[in-house]
Amino acid sequence: MRILLIEDERKVASFVARALREDSYAVDISDTGPEGLERALGTSYDAILLDVRLPGLSGIEVCSELRQKGIETPILMLTARTLIEQRVEGLDAGADDYLTKPFAVAELRARVRALIRRGFNKSAPTLQWREFALDRHRRCVKRGTEDIHLTSKEFALLEFLLIRAPETVTRTEIIEHVWDSNFDSGTNLVDVYINRLREKLGHSPAAELIHTVRGVGYSLRQSA
Ligand code: CA
């Protein structure tokens, strides 16, 4: 899952980005309104966290511009102190939710999870596929009763495949949703991670869970 954070206060931006990355999200940061708007228009994000007071364009202006252009990515506004007008303006401009600064990291994580669920219209906290279960709240994966230990990126990759299953996802979509803008598209990192996931999920090639769709991408197989 890939998130755009538009926030000009460096301390807040790095605190928020670190918390989200720990939860396996890929995070891009913009520190002005116009730059954030451009990124949001150019990339398909799973959620946008938008500060209200920004240089160039306010968060309210960025939000209403995005909605006017038909971008429906869920937006969480970060509003100052107790300014009720800001919250109302934000919601009027098309934001889905707001979070008042200063906020606790646990609250931020919960709101972001809720926001992304809303975007995918998937209320299930657990994603199930064959004998595998991925718990999106506890960020863990089980095969039956056995725990499977995944790194943060492996988890994010499996989560994305599960959300989209049984559709085929393209390599470009995987890069866009699981990695951030620093990803070097010239590498074969996606294949490397797919292979690691296959090894950890423990399927033989004949009964492979993650199926390669040649020239397109990957999909989860219905049955062996
Ligand atoms: Ca600000």
Side-chain angles (χ1 to χ4, degrees), residues 7-9 51 53-54 101:
E7 167 63 83
D8 60 319
E9 283 165 72
D51 184 32
R53 298 183 67 176
L54 289 168
K101 291 182 193 175

Side-chain angles (χ1 to χ4, degrees), residues 91-141:
L91 296 173
D92 280 350
D96 296 85
D97 196 4
Y98 60 84
L99 189 56
T100 307
K101 291 182 193 175
F103 44 79
V105 70
E107 167 105 53
L108 170 78
R109 287 177 156 149
R111 295 292 190 90
V112 169
R113 279 198 301 267
L115 199 67
I116 286 180
R117 275 206 300 274
R118 208 170 303 175
F120 274 100
N121 217 1
K122 289 243 178 187
S123 54
T126 304
L127 300 171
Q128 207 93 37
W129 190 260
R130 289 164 53 175
E131 70 270 41
F132 296 93
L134 178 146
D135 186 325
R136 306 177 80 192
H137 288 185
R138 291 173 44 236
R139 317 298 293 172
C140 63
V141 176

Side-chain angles (χ1 to χ4, degrees), residues 80-101:
R81 295 177 300 276
T82 50
L83 292 179
I84 290 173
E85 317 83 75
Q86 280 191 355
R87 299 183 209 162
V88 173
E89 268 187 279
L91 296 173
D92 280 350
D96 296 85
D97 196 4
Y98 60 84
L99 189 56
T100 307
K101 291 182 193 175

